[in-house]
C-alpha cells in the first residue's frame, strides 16, 4: 500500500521541481501495443505514469515513458530502448530501462522480481559485453525511486 502512496506523492511533488516537464499521457491502446511489443504487462504505477504523463523531466532527471510512434528514438523512450537493447545486446525481456544516470548507467524495472503489490524492483545493470547482471538494487519500486529523485531535487 505504501508504494502506491509514494508514487502518488512523488507525482504531486514533481511539478515543484526546477524545469518540470511532461509529455502528456498515452492512450490505453498505445500502452497495450507497447505491452504486446515488450511481452510484459506494465505494472500499475508505470501504466498510470504513462497514461497521465507519458514522460517526466526535471532538473537533471529524465524518466522515460513509452512511445510506440517513435521506435527509432531511444532517448526518453523505454519501449524503443528495451527493443533496441534486446536486439543488439540480448537484454533479457524482464528488464525495462527507464532512467539514464549521468554516469552511463541506467535504472531498469526488473519484472522478474515483483513486490507484494506486483511492482517490479528498480535495479542498475552492468553489461560485460556478453550478458547483463544486476550491480545494485536502488529501490523497491517505481514510486520509491521517483520520490527519492524528487525529494533530492527539492532539498538541493
Amino acid at each position: 500500500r505504501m508504494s502506491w502512496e509514494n508514487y502518488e506523492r512523488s507525482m504531486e511533488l514533481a511539478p515543484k521541481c526546477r524545469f518540470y516537464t511532461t509529455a502528456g499521457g498515452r492512450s490505453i491502446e498505445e500502452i497495450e501495443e507497447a505491452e504486446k511489443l515488450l511481452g510484459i504487462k506494465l505494472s500499475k504505477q508505470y501504466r498510470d505514469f504513462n497514461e497521465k504523463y507519458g514522460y517526466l523531466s526535471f532538473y537533471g532527471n529524465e524518466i522515460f515513458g513509452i512511445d510506440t510512434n517513435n521506435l527509432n528514438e531511444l532517448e526518453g523512450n523505454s519501449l524503443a530502448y528495451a527493443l533496441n537493447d534486446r536486439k543488439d545486446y540480448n537484454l533479457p525481456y524482464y528488464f525495462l530501462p527507464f532512467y539514464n544516470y549521468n554516469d552511463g548507467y541506467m535504472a531498469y524495472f526488473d519484472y522478474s522480481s515483483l513486490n507484494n503489490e506486483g511492482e517490479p524492483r528498480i535495479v542498475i545493470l552492468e553489461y560485460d559485453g556478453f550478458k547483463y547482471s544486476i550491480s545494485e538494487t536502488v529501490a523497491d519500486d517505481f514510486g520509491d525511486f521517483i520520490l527519492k529523485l524528487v525529494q533530492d531535487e527539492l532539498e538541493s
Side-chain angles (χ1 to χ4, degrees):
R1 220 178 101 54
M2 259 329 280
S3 77
W4 180 257
E5 288 162 12
N6 285 350
Y7 166 71
E8 287 192 312
R9 179 93 183 107
S10 68
M11 298 316 287
E12 284 164 21
L13 289 172
K16 298 179 175 145
C17 294
R18 293 173 287 178
F19 312 120
Y20 170 83
T21 310
T22 65
R26 301 284 174 206
S27 69
I28 299 290
E29 293 73 33
E30 244 188 306
I31 291 168
E32 287 173 351
E33 184 187 341
E35 289 176 331
K36 265 193 210 103
L37 289 167
L38 290 167
I40 291 174
K41 184 156 176 32
L42 299 181
S43 69
K44 183 179 172 194
Q45 291 176 19
Y46 195 52
R47 184 176 254 266
D48 185 81
F49 174 81
N50 278 289
E51 279 180 40
K52 292 183 181 152
Y53 309 98
Y55 167 91
L56 168 64
S57 171
F58 58 90
Y59 192 79
N61 296 281
E62 183 182 39
I63 309 287
F64 299 1
I66 52 165
D67 184 352
T68 54
N69 299 314
N70 291 302
L71 293 180
N72 294 326
E73 181 57 47
L74 301 189
E75 208 50 46
N77 189 348
S78 276
L79 173 62
Y81 231 114
L83 295 176
N84 178 77
D85 288 5
R86 284 177 184 184
K87 187 169 63 80
D88 292 353
Y89 307 107
N90 212 17
L91 176 72
Y93 80 93
Y94 46 83
F95 291 126
L96 184 58
F98 72 92
Y99 180 84
N100 219 334
Y101 288 95
N102 295 328
D103 59 7
Y105 287 97
M106 292 191 79
Y108 295 76
F109 293 103
D110 178 2
Y111 279 92
S112 75
S113 179
L114 305 180
N115 66 18
N116 56 5
E117 290 184 41
E119 293 294 330
R121 68 181 172 176
I122 308 303
V123 299
I124 294 175
L125 299 180
E126 285 184 8
Y127 181 69
D128 67 6
F130 301 101
K131 67 179 178 11
Y132 286 89
S133 56
I134 295 171
S135 69
E136 192 182 339
T137 299
V138 287
D140 185 46
D141 65 29
F142 190 55
D144 291 356
F145 182 83
I146 301 182
L147 187 58
K148 180 166 181 4
L149 291 181
V150 168
Q151 287 172 335
D152 287 352
E153 164 54 19
L154 293 175
E155 288 163 13
S156 68

